[in-house]
Amino acid sequence: MPVTILGDTLYSCPRQNLHQNPQYWSWLLKFYGFYKKGFLPGPGGILDQSNKAIEVFRILDDANDQCDRVEDEKRKKRGAKGSPPVQRPSR
């Protein structure tokens, strides 16, 4: 599926970029973790942050939300079949 970031549409597999730029992704995921805990990467408020960083964080939030929904559906289907529900790890 294509992904649009700041008006650029990308068609390549995101994992390919992970292998080509591991240091960048390490930095990005570290700051994404801080963002999830309420800490922004730059000084100031949300309006003072890099547009690119906030857009990437939004995309990661959306991807995580989609994955969570798929996992919830799988869990509901397993529960409907009579198997015990799988506990989801807390974040």
Side-chain angles (χ1 to χ4, degrees):
M1 292 183 64
V3 175
T4 302
I5 302 175
L6 298 173
D8 293 332
T9 302
L10 307 173
Y11 293 91
S12 63
C13 174
R15 289 182 294 180
Q16 182 180 8
N17 193 276
L18 286 169
H19 294 295
Q20 292 171 348
N21 301 304
Q23 291 177 334
Y24 170 78
W25 282 96
S26 173
W27 174 88
L28 181 68
L29 293 173
K30 175 177 71 172
F31 281 101
Y32 179 68
F34 291 148
Y35 159 80
K36 292 298 287 180
K37 293 178 181 177
F39 299 101
L40 297 171
I46 191 76
L47 295 176
D48 299 318
Q49 303 306 306
S50 154
N51 288 336
K52 184 175 182 178
I54 298 303
E55 183 68 10
V56 169
F57 294 162
R58 186 193 63 77
I59 290 168
L60 291 172
D61 279 341
D62 288 345
N64 282 328
D65 185 52
Q66 288 176 20
C67 291
D68 288 346
R69 282 191 238 149
V70 168
E71 289 298 316
D72 287 342
E73 284 300 315
K74 287 180 185 178
R75 198 171 297 108
K76 287 177 186 177
K77 286 179 183 178
R78 280 193 291 256
K81 292 180 181 178
S83 60
V86 177
Q87 283 203 346
R88 187 171 162 184
S90 61
R91 290 186 186 193

